[in-house]
Amino acid sequence: MVCLFRRPAVTFIAGSFLAAGFFAVMPLTGHAAFAQSFSVAKPEVPAEVNNYPLDEKFLTKMEAAQAELNTMDMSGSGDDEAGTGDHSPKALAARIEKQPKVMAVLEKHGLTAQDYIYGYFALVSSVSAVESENEEQLVDELKGINPAHITFGKQYIDRIHKLLGE
């Protein structure tokens, strides 16, 4: 059932969004290399992620694509660039673009590699924000998250959890 994301990361706190969130990306990155490239001290949500438009149509496309990707054997995919050191959303999307089987599935469902990466992490961010709203120690870290994402996360939290494998 593993495709591009080995361990969906919704249980992380909003203040460590990047460090924990991108740990979910496999086989696109190496966990150890990624951990060394980010500080967990209040990182910002990347603009590409924070500004990604979330709507029900996108969520439906992601659910369909993810269901199909979950059935694919992804062993050996993407290992050639895992240690490049660039774990930005743009670089992760570029790695997906080099995986023809994955791209065929995404295109079939009307998604690009950027949609998949930016949208996935926008969904993670939205659910993390919703689940952390009542955590007093996280209030400052939530200020930078797109309010529309928080609203979307509240409305579709169950579907997003299911998509993320939780």
Side-chain angles (χ1 to χ4, degrees):
M1 185 167 133
V2 174
C3 80
L4 297 179
F5 296 93
R6 187 177 295 165
R7 293 182 302 159
V10 173
T11 58
F12 64 90
I13 61 171
S16 60
F17 171 79
L18 288 175
F22 283 114
F23 263 92
V25 179
M26 286 309 285
L28 304 175
T29 66
H31 293 314
F34 180 78
Q36 295 172 7
S37 66
F38 284 93
S39 163
V40 290
K42 198 176 176 186
E44 297 294 321
V45 176
E48 305 95 347
V49 171
N50 209 30
N51 296 325
Y52 192 84
L54 295 178
D55 59 27
E56 186 176 14
K57 183 177 177 182
F58 167 74
L59 181 58
T60 300
K61 288 179 183 182
M62 284 290 285
E63 290 167 330
Q66 193 64 47
E68 191 169 338
L69 289 168
N70 284 342
T71 66
M72 294 173 56
D73 177 16
M74 297 300 296
S75 58
S77 297
D79 291 336
D80 56 328
E81 294 188 48
T84 63
D86 187 356
H87 304 287
S88 67
K90 185 176 181 177
L92 296 173
R95 289 186 192 117
I96 289 177
E97 288 172 348
K98 293 178 181 178
Q99 298 183 37
K101 290 192 289 185
V102 174
M103 286 306 300
V105 171
L106 295 180
E107 290 169 1
K108 175 181 172 183
H109 296 286
L111 297 168
T112 65
Q114 290 81 13
D115 290 329
Y116 187 78
I117 291 295
Y118 300 161
Y120 181 89
F121 288 113
L123 293 169
V124 169
S125 175
S126 72
V127 170
S128 295
V130 169
E131 293 177 346
S132 301
E133 269 188 324
N134 296 323
E135 299 294 327
E136 190 175 313
Q137 68 272 20
L138 299 177
V139 171
D140 287 340
E141 273 109 30
L142 295 175
K143 288 180 183 175
I145 296 179
N146 186 336
H149 287 186
I150 296 171
T151 301
F152 185 84
K154 286 178 182 177
Q155 185 174 0
Y156 296 102
I157 195 163
D158 292 334
R159 285 178 64 185
I160 296 169
H161 274 297
K162 185 175 179 184
L163 173 73
L164 301 177
E166 300 195 344

PDB file of all heavy atoms in Angstrom, residues 65-104:
ATOM      1  N   ALA A  65      -6.417   9.452  -7.342  1.00  0.00           N
ATOM      2  CA  ALA A  65      -5.024   9.199  -7.717  1.00  0.00           C
ATOM      3  C   ALA A  65      -4.305   8.395  -6.644  1.00  0.00           C
ATOM      4  O   ALA A  65      -3.590   7.436  -6.944  1.00  0.00           O
ATOM      5  CB  ALA A  65      -4.304  10.523  -7.970  1.00  0.00           C
ATOM      6  N   GLN A  66      -4.501   8.772  -5.387  1.00  0.00           N
ATOM      7  CA  GLN A  66      -3.820   8.070  -4.295  1.00  0.00           C
ATOM      8  C   GLN A  66      -4.265   6.614  -4.212  1.00  0.00           C
ATOM      9  O   GLN A  66      -3.447   5.725  -3.979  1.00  0.00           O
ATOM     10  CB  GLN A  66      -4.048   8.779  -2.964  1.00  0.00           C
ATOM     11  CG  GLN A  66      -3.146   8.297  -1.854  1.00  0.00           C
ATOM     12  CD  GLN A  66      -1.677   8.593  -2.133  1.00  0.00           C
ATOM     13  OE1 GLN A  66      -1.319   9.692  -2.518  1.00  0.00           O
ATOM     14  NE2 GLN A  66      -0.830   7.606  -1.936  1.00  0.00           N
ATOM     15  N   ALA A  67      -5.548   6.366  -4.411  1.00  0.00           N
ATOM     16  CA  ALA A  67      -6.044   4.988  -4.388  1.00  0.00           C
ATOM     17  C   ALA A  67      -5.344   4.151  -5.456  1.00  0.00           C
ATOM     18  O   ALA A  67      -4.943   3.004  -5.207  1.00  0.00           O
ATOM     19  CB  ALA A  67      -7.555   4.964  -4.585  1.00  0.00           C
ATOM     20  N   GLU A  68      -5.173   4.722  -6.633  1.00  0.00           N
ATOM     21  CA  GLU A  68      -4.494   3.998  -7.706  1.00  0.00           C
ATOM     22  C   GLU A  68      -2.991   3.864  -7.425  1.00  0.00           C
ATOM     23  O   GLU A  68      -2.407   2.802  -7.637  1.00  0.00           O
ATOM     24  CB  GLU A  68      -4.720   4.715  -9.039  1.00  0.00           C
ATOM     25  CG  GLU A  68      -4.281   3.900 -10.224  1.00  0.00           C
ATOM     26  CD  GLU A  68      -4.742   4.466 -11.550  1.00  0.00           C
ATOM     27  OE1 GLU A  68      -5.726   5.238 -11.593  1.00  0.00           O
ATOM     28  OE2 GLU A  68      -4.101   4.125 -12.558  1.00  0.00           O
ATOM     29  N   LEU A  69      -2.371   4.925  -6.936  1.00  0.00           N
ATOM     30  CA  LEU A  69      -0.941   4.869  -6.623  1.00  0.00           C
ATOM     31  C   LEU A  69      -0.639   3.850  -5.524  1.00  0.00           C
ATOM     32  O   LEU A  69       0.406   3.211  -5.536  1.00  0.00           O
ATOM     33  CB  LEU A  69      -0.433   6.250  -6.205  1.00  0.00           C
ATOM     34  CG  LEU A  69      -0.339   7.285  -7.320  1.00  0.00           C
ATOM     35  CD1 LEU A  69      -0.120   8.677  -6.738  1.00  0.00           C
ATOM     36  CD2 LEU A  69       0.756   6.919  -8.309  1.00  0.00           C
ATOM     37  N   ASN A  70      -1.567   3.698  -4.593  1.00  0.00           N
ATOM     38  CA  ASN A  70      -1.382   2.739  -3.502  1.00  0.00           C
ATOM     39  C   ASN A  70      -1.309   1.299  -3.990  1.00  0.00           C
ATOM     40  O   ASN A  70      -0.814   0.436  -3.277  1.00  0.00           O
ATOM     41  CB  ASN A  70      -2.488   2.876  -2.463  1.00  0.00           C
ATOM     42  CG  ASN A  70      -2.298   4.081  -1.572  1.00  0.00           C
ATOM     43  OD1 ASN A  70      -1.221   4.646  -1.478  1.00  0.00           O
ATOM     44  ND2 ASN A  70      -3.375   4.488  -0.922  1.00  0.00           N
ATOM     45  N   THR A  71      -1.798   1.030  -5.194  1.00  0.00           N
ATOM     46  CA  THR A  71      -1.770  -0.327  -5.731  1.00  0.00           C
ATOM     47  C   THR A  71      -0.507  -0.611  -6.532  1.00  0.00           C
ATOM     48  O   THR A  71      -0.269  -1.742  -6.924  1.00  0.00           O
ATOM     49  CB  THR A  71      -2.996  -0.588  -6.634  1.00  0.00           C
ATOM     50  OG1 THR A  71      -2.905   0.241  -7.796  1.00  0.00           O
ATOM     51  CG2 THR A  71      -4.292  -0.335  -5.893  1.00  0.00           C
ATOM     52  N   MET A  72       0.303   0.424  -6.775  1.00  0.00           N
ATOM     53  CA  MET A  72       1.487   0.274  -7.618  1.00  0.00           C
ATOM     54  C   MET A  72       2.704  -0.148  -6.803  1.00  0.00           C
ATOM     55  O   MET A  72       2.862   0.248  -5.660  1.00  0.00           O
ATOM     56  CB  MET A  72       1.788   1.599  -8.335  1.00  0.00           C
ATOM     57  CG  MET A  72       0.730   2.002  -9.323  1.00  0.00           C
ATOM     58  SD  MET A  72       0.989   3.664 -10.016  1.00  0.00           S
ATOM     59  CE  MET A  72       2.615   3.535 -10.690  1.00  0.00           C
ATOM     60  N   ASP A  73       3.573  -0.916  -7.445  1.00  0.00           N
ATOM     61  CA  ASP A  73       4.854  -1.270  -6.837  1.00  0.00           C
ATOM     62  C   ASP A  73       5.835  -0.153  -7.142  1.00  0.00           C
ATOM     63  O   ASP A  73       6.214   0.063  -8.286  1.00  0.00           O
ATOM     64  CB  ASP A  73       5.366  -2.589  -7.403  1.00  0.00           C
ATOM     65  CG  ASP A  73       6.734  -2.974  -6.856  1.00  0.00           C
ATOM     66  OD1 ASP A  73       7.155  -2.399  -5.832  1.00  0.00           O
ATOM     67  OD2 ASP A  73       7.376  -3.848  -7.466  1.00  0.00           O
ATOM     68  N   MET A  74       6.254   0.582  -6.100  1.00  0.00           N
ATOM     69  CA  MET A  74       7.149   1.717  -6.287  1.00  0.00           C
ATOM     70  C   MET A  74       8.572   1.405  -5.842  1.00  0.00           C
ATOM     71  O   MET A  74       9.389   2.307  -5.747  1.00  0.00           O
ATOM     72  CB  MET A  74       6.620   2.930  -5.507  1.00  0.00           C
ATOM     73  CG  MET A  74       5.278   3.424  -5.981  1.00  0.00           C
ATOM     74  SD  MET A  74       5.270   3.938  -7.704  1.00  0.00           S
ATOM     75  CE  MET A  74       6.389   5.312  -7.623  1.00  0.00           C
ATOM     76  N   SER A  75       8.872   0.140  -5.584  1.00  0.00           N
ATOM     77  CA  SER A  75      10.214  -0.198  -5.125  1.00  0.00           C
ATOM     78  C   SER A  75      11.248   0.214  -6.170  1.00  0.00           C
ATOM     79  O   SER A  75      11.065  -0.001  -7.358  1.00  0.00           O
ATOM     80  CB  SER A  75      10.322  -1.694  -4.838  1.00  0.00           C
ATOM     81  OG  SER A  75      10.011  -2.432  -5.996  1.00  0.00           O
ATOM     82  N   GLY A  76      12.294   0.851  -5.674  1.00  0.00           N
ATOM     83  CA  GLY A  76      13.376   1.277  -6.554  1.00  0.00           C
ATOM     84  C   GLY A  76      13.141   2.603  -7.240  1.00  0.00           C
ATOM     85  O   GLY A  76      14.029   3.131  -7.878  1.00  0.00           O
ATOM     86  N   SER A  77      11.970   3.193  -7.112  1.00  0.00           N
ATOM     87  CA  SER A  77      11.675   4.462  -7.772  1.00  0.00           C
ATOM     88  C   SER A  77      12.272   5.622  -7.008  1.00  0.00           C
ATOM     89  O   SER A  77      12.140   5.709  -5.806  1.00  0.00           O
ATOM     90  CB  SER A  77      10.159   4.682  -7.858  1.00  0.00           C
ATOM     91  OG  SER A  77       9.573   3.692  -8.634  1.00  0.00           O
ATOM     92  N   GLY A  78      12.929   6.503  -7.719  1.00  0.00           N
ATOM     93  CA  GLY A  78      13.386   7.748  -7.134  1.00  0.00           C
ATOM     94  C   GLY A  78      14.613   7.661  -6.258  1.00  0.00           C
ATOM     95  O   GLY A  78      15.041   8.675  -5.727  1.00  0.00           O
ATOM     96  N   ASP A  79      15.206   6.491  -6.097  1.00  0.00           N
ATOM     97  CA  ASP A  79      16.352   6.359  -5.204  1.00  0.00           C
ATOM     98  C   ASP A  79      17.589   7.091  -5.717  1.00  0.00           C
ATOM     99  O   ASP A  79      18.442   7.471  -4.943  1.00  0.00           O
ATOM    100  CB  ASP A  79      16.705   4.881  -4.990  1.00  0.00           C
ATOM    101  CG  ASP A  79      15.642   4.153  -4.188  1.00  0.00           C
ATOM    102  OD1 ASP A  79      14.908   4.830  -3.440  1.00  0.00           O
ATOM    103  OD2 ASP A  79      15.544   2.929  -4.314  1.00  0.00           O
ATOM    104  N   ASP A  80      17.649   7.328  -7.037  1.00  0.00           N
ATOM    105  CA  ASP A  80      18.839   7.934  -7.601  1.00  0.00           C
ATOM    106  C   ASP A  80      19.065   9.364  -7.129  1.00  0.00           C
ATOM    107  O   ASP A  80      20.194   9.830  -7.110  1.00  0.00           O
ATOM    108  CB  ASP A  80      18.773   7.908  -9.130  1.00  0.00           C
ATOM    109  CG  ASP A  80      17.523   8.583  -9.674  1.00  0.00           C
ATOM    110  OD1 ASP A  80      16.481   8.528  -9.002  1.00  0.00           O
ATOM    111  OD2 ASP A  80      17.584   9.162 -10.767  1.00  0.00           O
ATOM    112  N   GLU A  81      18.035  10.073  -6.714  1.00  0.00           N
ATOM    113  CA  GLU A  81      18.197  11.455  -6.310  1.00  0.00           C
ATOM    114  C   GLU A  81      17.902  11.687  -4.838  1.00  0.00           C
ATOM    115  O   GLU A  81      17.828  12.822  -4.397  1.00  0.00           O
ATOM    116  CB  GLU A  81      17.292  12.352  -7.149  1.00  0.00           C
ATOM    117  CG  GLU A  81      17.681  12.386  -8.610  1.00  0.00           C
ATOM    118  CD  GLU A  81      16.896  13.433  -9.360  1.00  0.00           C
ATOM    119  OE1 GLU A  81      16.816  14.570  -8.868  1.00  0.00           O
ATOM    120  OE2 GLU A  81      16.366  13.110 -10.421  1.00  0.00           O
ATOM    121  N   ALA A  82      17.755  10.647  -4.066  1.00  0.00           N
ATOM    122  CA  ALA A  82      17.345  10.796  -2.674  1.00  0.00           C
ATOM    123  C   ALA A  82      18.342  11.606  -1.851  1.00  0.00           C
ATOM    124  O   ALA A  82      17.961  12.289  -0.926  1.00  0.00           O
ATOM    125  CB  ALA A  82      17.134   9.426  -2.030  1.00  0.00           C
ATOM    126  N   GLY A  83      19.600  11.578  -2.197  1.00  0.00           N
ATOM    127  CA  GLY A  83      20.584  12.265  -1.393  1.00  0.00           C
ATOM    128  C   GLY A  83      21.041  13.597  -1.965  1.00  0.00           C
ATOM    129  O   GLY A  83      22.096  14.078  -1.609  1.00  0.00           O
ATOM    130  N   THR A  84      20.284  14.208  -2.862  1.00  0.00           N
ATOM    131  CA  THR A  84      20.732  15.436  -3.508  1.00  0.00           C
ATOM    132  C   THR A  84      20.747  16.627  -2.569  1.00  0.00           C
ATOM    133  O   THR A  84      21.369  17.629  -2.882  1.00  0.00           O
ATOM    134  CB  THR A  84      19.851  15.777  -4.721  1.00  0.00           C
ATOM    135  OG1 THR A  84      18.523  16.005  -4.264  1.00  0.00           O
ATOM    136  CG2 THR A  84      19.900  14.692  -5.771  1.00  0.00           C
ATOM    137  N   GLY A  85      20.066  16.576  -1.458  1.00  0.00           N
ATOM    138  CA  GLY A  85      20.075  17.674  -0.512  1.00  0.00           C
ATOM    139  C   GLY A  85      18.983  18.701  -0.731  1.00  0.00           C
ATOM    140  O   GLY A  85      18.734  19.517   0.130  1.00  0.00           O
ATOM    141  N   ASP A  86      18.336  18.718  -1.864  1.00  0.00           N
ATOM    142  CA  ASP A  86      17.260  19.682  -2.124  1.00  0.00           C
ATOM    143  C   ASP A  86      15.928  18.995  -1.879  1.00  0.00           C
ATOM    144  O   ASP A  86      15.507  18.143  -2.643  1.00  0.00           O
ATOM    145  CB  ASP A  86      17.333  20.205  -3.552  1.00  0.00           C
ATOM    146  CG  ASP A  86      16.343  21.330  -3.817  1.00  0.00           C
ATOM    147  OD1 ASP A  86      15.535  21.656  -2.912  1.00  0.00           O
ATOM    148  OD2 ASP A  86      16.371  21.886  -4.926  1.00  0.00           O
ATOM    149  N   HIS A  87      15.275  19.388  -0.789  1.00  0.00           N
ATOM    150  CA  HIS A  87      14.016  18.764  -0.411  1.00  0.00           C
ATOM    151  C   HIS A  87      12.871  19.772  -0.448  1.00  0.00           C
ATOM    152  O   HIS A  87      11.888  19.620   0.252  1.00  0.00           O
ATOM    153  CB  HIS A  87      14.141  18.134   0.975  1.00  0.00           C
ATOM    154  CG  HIS A  87      15.267  17.167   1.049  1.00  0.00           C
ATOM    155  ND1 HIS A  87      15.229  15.926   0.460  1.00  0.00           N
ATOM    156  CD2 HIS A  87      16.493  17.271   1.612  1.00  0.00           C
ATOM    157  CE1 HIS A  87      16.367  15.308   0.671  1.00  0.00           C
ATOM    158  NE2 HIS A  87      17.160  16.098   1.360  1.00  0.00           N
ATOM    159  N   SER A  88      13.032  20.791  -1.270  1.00  0.00           N
ATOM    160  CA  SER A  88      11.979  21.790  -1.425  1.00  0.00           C
ATOM    161  C   SER A  88      10.805  21.171  -2.170  1.00  0.00           C
ATOM    162  O   SER A  88      10.963  20.170  -2.889  1.00  0.00           O
ATOM    163  CB  SER A  88      12.515  22.985  -2.217  1.00  0.00           C
ATOM    164  OG  SER A  88      12.798  22.597  -3.553  1.00  0.00           O
ATOM    165  N   PRO A  89       9.614  21.744  -2.017  1.00  0.00           N
ATOM    166  CA  PRO A  89       8.469  21.224  -2.764  1.00  0.00           C
ATOM    167  C   PRO A  89       8.738  21.182  -4.272  1.00  0.00           C
ATOM    168  O   PRO A  89       8.369  20.219  -4.941  1.00  0.00           O
ATOM    169  CB  PRO A  89       7.341  22.196  -2.426  1.00  0.00           C
ATOM    170  CG  PRO A  89       7.707  22.739  -1.084  1.00  0.00           C
ATOM    171  CD  PRO A  89       9.215  22.825  -1.102  1.00  0.00           C
ATOM    172  N   LYS A  90       9.417  22.192  -4.781  1.00  0.00           N
ATOM    173  CA  LYS A  90       9.724  22.235  -6.214  1.00  0.00           C
ATOM    174  C   LYS A  90      10.610  21.056  -6.620  1.00  0.00           C
ATOM    175  O   LYS A  90      10.369  20.404  -7.641  1.00  0.00           O
ATOM    176  CB  LYS A  90      10.409  23.560  -6.552  1.00  0.00           C
ATOM    177  CG  LYS A  90      10.654  23.767  -8.023  1.00  0.00           C
ATOM    178  CD  LYS A  90      11.250  25.149  -8.272  1.00  0.00           C
ATOM    179  CE  LYS A  90      11.475  25.369  -9.751  1.00  0.00           C
ATOM    180  NZ  LYS A  90      11.990  26.705 -10.036  1.00  0.00           N
ATOM    181  N   ALA A  91      11.622  20.746  -5.805  1.00  0.00           N
ATOM    182  CA  ALA A  91      12.515  19.631  -6.105  1.00  0.00           C
ATOM    183  C   ALA A  91      11.793  18.291  -5.988  1.00  0.00           C
ATOM    184  O   ALA A  91      12.015  17.386  -6.787  1.00  0.00           O
ATOM    185  CB  ALA A  91      13.728  19.660  -5.179  1.00  0.00           C
ATOM    186  N   LEU A  92      10.916  18.166  -5.002  1.00  0.00           N
ATOM    187  CA  LEU A  92      10.153  16.925  -4.851  1.00  0.00           C
ATOM    188  C   LEU A  92       9.236  16.711  -6.057  1.00  0.00           C
ATOM    189  O   LEU A  92       9.123  15.595  -6.567  1.00  0.00           O
ATOM    190  CB  LEU A  92       9.336  16.956  -3.557  1.00  0.00           C
ATOM    191  CG  LEU A  92      10.151  17.011  -2.266  1.00  0.00           C
ATOM    192  CD1 LEU A  92       9.232  17.222  -1.066  1.00  0.00           C
ATOM    193  CD2 LEU A  92      10.995  15.768  -2.096  1.00  0.00           C
ATOM    194  N   ALA A  93       8.603  17.786  -6.515  1.00  0.00           N
ATOM    195  CA  ALA A  93       7.749  17.688  -7.699  1.00  0.00           C
ATOM    196  C   ALA A  93       8.582  17.293  -8.922  1.00  0.00           C
ATOM    197  O   ALA A  93       8.137  16.473  -9.741  1.00  0.00           O
ATOM    198  CB  ALA A  93       7.017  19.002  -7.933  1.00  0.00           C
ATOM    199  N   ALA A  94       9.784  17.845  -9.046  1.00  0.00           N
ATOM    200  CA  ALA A  94      10.660  17.502 -10.172  1.00  0.00           C
ATOM    201  C   ALA A  94      11.024  16.018 -10.143  1.00  0.00           C
ATOM    202  O   ALA A  94      11.108  15.375 -11.193  1.00  0.00           O
ATOM    203  CB  ALA A  94      11.923  18.363 -10.137  1.00  0.00           C
ATOM    204  N   ARG A  95      11.214  15.465  -8.952  1.00  0.00           N
ATOM    205  CA  ARG A  95      11.519  14.031  -8.848  1.00  0.00           C
ATOM    206  C   ARG A  95      10.337  13.183  -9.285  1.00  0.00           C
ATOM    207  O   ARG A  95      10.505  12.149  -9.920  1.00  0.00           O
ATOM    208  CB  ARG A  95      11.956  13.686  -7.432  1.00  0.00           C
ATOM    209  CG  ARG A  95      13.325  14.226  -7.112  1.00  0.00           C
ATOM    210  CD  ARG A  95      13.815  13.751  -5.749  1.00  0.00           C
ATOM    211  NE  ARG A  95      14.980  14.527  -5.394  1.00  0.00           N
ATOM    212  CZ  ARG A  95      15.053  15.343  -4.358  1.00  0.00           C
ATOM    213  NH1 ARG A  95      14.041  15.457  -3.529  1.00  0.00           N
ATOM    214  NH2 ARG A  95      16.151  16.025  -4.131  1.00  0.00           N
ATOM    215  N   ILE A  96       9.140  13.612  -8.935  1.00  0.00           N
ATOM    216  CA  ILE A  96       7.945  12.881  -9.366  1.00  0.00           C
ATOM    217  C   ILE A  96       7.839  12.912 -10.882  1.00  0.00           C
ATOM    218  O   ILE A  96       7.481  11.920 -11.511  1.00  0.00           O
ATOM    219  CB  ILE A  96       6.677  13.443  -8.709  1.00  0.00           C
ATOM    220  CG1 ILE A  96       6.657  13.079  -7.229  1.00  0.00           C
ATOM    221  CG2 ILE A  96       5.419  12.918  -9.399  1.00  0.00           C
ATOM    222  CD1 ILE A  96       5.480  13.647  -6.466  1.00  0.00           C
ATOM    223  N   GLU A  97       8.147  14.058 -11.478  1.00  0.00           N
ATOM    224  CA  GLU A  97       8.053  14.199 -12.937  1.00  0.00           C
ATOM    225  C   GLU A  97       8.954  13.206 -13.659  1.00  0.00           C
ATOM    226  O   GLU A  97       8.712  12.878 -14.811  1.00  0.00           O
ATOM    227  CB  GLU A  97       8.398  15.627 -13.348  1.00  0.00           C
ATOM    228  CG  GLU A  97       7.311  16.611 -12.968  1.00  0.00           C
ATOM    229  CD  GLU A  97       7.699  18.064 -13.177  1.00  0.00           C
ATOM    230  OE1 GLU A  97       8.906  18.356 -13.410  1.00  0.00           O
ATOM    231  OE2 GLU A  97       6.800  18.911 -13.100  1.00  0.00           O
ATOM    232  N   LYS A  98       9.971  12.693 -12.986  1.00  0.00           N
ATOM    233  CA  LYS A  98      10.893  11.729 -13.586  1.00  0.00           C
ATOM    234  C   LYS A  98      10.424  10.291 -13.393  1.00  0.00           C
ATOM    235  O   LYS A  98      11.156   9.360 -13.722  1.00  0.00           O
ATOM    236  CB  LYS A  98      12.292  11.910 -12.998  1.00  0.00           C
ATOM    237  CG  LYS A  98      12.911  13.244 -13.387  1.00  0.00           C
ATOM    238  CD  LYS A  98      14.268  13.416 -12.765  1.00  0.00           C
ATOM    239  CE  LYS A  98      14.848  14.760 -13.139  1.00  0.00           C
ATOM    240  NZ  LYS A  98      16.143  15.000 -12.511  1.00  0.00           N
ATOM    241  N   GLN A  99       9.238  10.105 -12.858  1.00  0.00           N
ATOM    242  CA  GLN A  99       8.687   8.768 -12.630  1.00  0.00           C
ATOM    243  C   GLN A  99       7.473   8.571 -13.549  1.00  0.00           C
ATOM    244  O   GLN A  99       6.349   8.940 -13.204  1.00  0.00           O
ATOM    245  CB  GLN A  99       8.294   8.608 -11.167  1.00  0.00           C
ATOM    246  CG  GLN A  99       9.477   8.736 -10.222  1.00  0.00           C
ATOM    247  CD  GLN A  99       9.087   8.509  -8.783  1.00  0.00           C
ATOM    248  OE1 GLN A  99       8.246   7.663  -8.477  1.00  0.00           O
ATOM    249  NE2 GLN A  99       9.698   9.249  -7.880  1.00  0.00           N
ATOM    250  N   PRO A 100       7.698   7.982 -14.727  1.00  0.00           N
ATOM    251  CA  PRO A 100       6.638   7.872 -15.729  1.00  0.00           C
ATOM    252  C   PRO A 100       5.360   7.176 -15.243  1.00  0.00           C
ATOM    253  O   PRO A 100       4.251   7.608 -15.589  1.00  0.00           O
ATOM    254  CB  PRO A 100       7.278   7.067 -16.866  1.00  0.00           C
ATOM    255  CG  PRO A 100       8.747   7.174 -16.644  1.00  0.00           C
ATOM    256  CD  PRO A 100       8.956   7.409 -15.184  1.00  0.00           C
ATOM    257  N   LYS A 101       5.510   6.118 -14.445  1.00  0.00           N
ATOM    258  CA  LYS A 101       4.314   5.413 -13.959  1.00  0.00           C
ATOM    259  C   LYS A 101       3.470   6.317 -13.070  1.00  0.00           C
ATOM    260  O   LYS A 101       2.244   6.331 -13.160  1.00  0.00           O
ATOM    261  CB  LYS A 101       4.696   4.139 -13.193  1.00  0.00           C
ATOM    262  CG  LYS A 101       5.253   3.038 -14.056  1.00  0.00           C
ATOM    263  CD  LYS A 101       5.334   1.703 -13.317  1.00  0.00           C
ATOM    264  CE  LYS A 101       6.401   1.691 -12.252  1.00  0.00           C
ATOM    265  NZ  LYS A 101       6.576   0.374 -11.620  1.00  0.00           N
ATOM    266  N   VAL A 102       4.131   7.066 -12.220  1.00  0.00           N
ATOM    267  CA  VAL A 102       3.417   7.973 -11.318  1.00  0.00           C
ATOM    268  C   VAL A 102       2.771   9.096 -12.116  1.00  0.00           C
ATOM    269  O   VAL A 102       1.605   9.434 -11.907  1.00  0.00           O
ATOM    270  CB  VAL A 102       4.365   8.550 -10.241  1.00  0.00           C
ATOM    271  CG1 VAL A 102       3.664   9.599  -9.397  1.00  0.00           C
ATOM    272  CG2 VAL A 102       4.910   7.420  -9.365  1.00  0.00           C
ATOM    273  N   MET A 103       3.512   9.658 -13.042  1.00  0.00           N
ATOM    274  CA  MET A 103       2.971  10.754 -13.842  1.00  0.00           C
ATOM    275  C   MET A 103       1.758  10.305 -14.657  1.00  0.00           C
ATOM    276  O   MET A 103       0.799  11.069 -14.806  1.00  0.00           O
ATOM    277  CB  MET A 103       4.052  11.334 -14.765  1.00  0.00           C
ATOM    278  CG  MET A 103       5.080  12.178 -14.033  1.00  0.00           C
ATOM    279  SD  MET A 103       4.360  13.524 -13.041  1.00  0.00           S
ATOM    280  CE  MET A 103       3.514  14.477 -14.288  1.00  0.00           C
ATOM    281  N   ALA A 104       1.780   9.086 -15.150  1.00  0.00           N
ATOM    282  CA  ALA A 104       0.632   8.584 -15.912  1.00  0.00           C
ATOM    283  C   ALA A 104      -0.622   8.563 -15.040  1.00  0.00           C
ATOM    284  O   ALA A 104      -1.707   8.940 -15.484  1.00  0.00           O
ATOM    285  CB  ALA A 104       0.936   7.194 -16.464  1.00  0.00           C
TER     286      ALA A 104
END
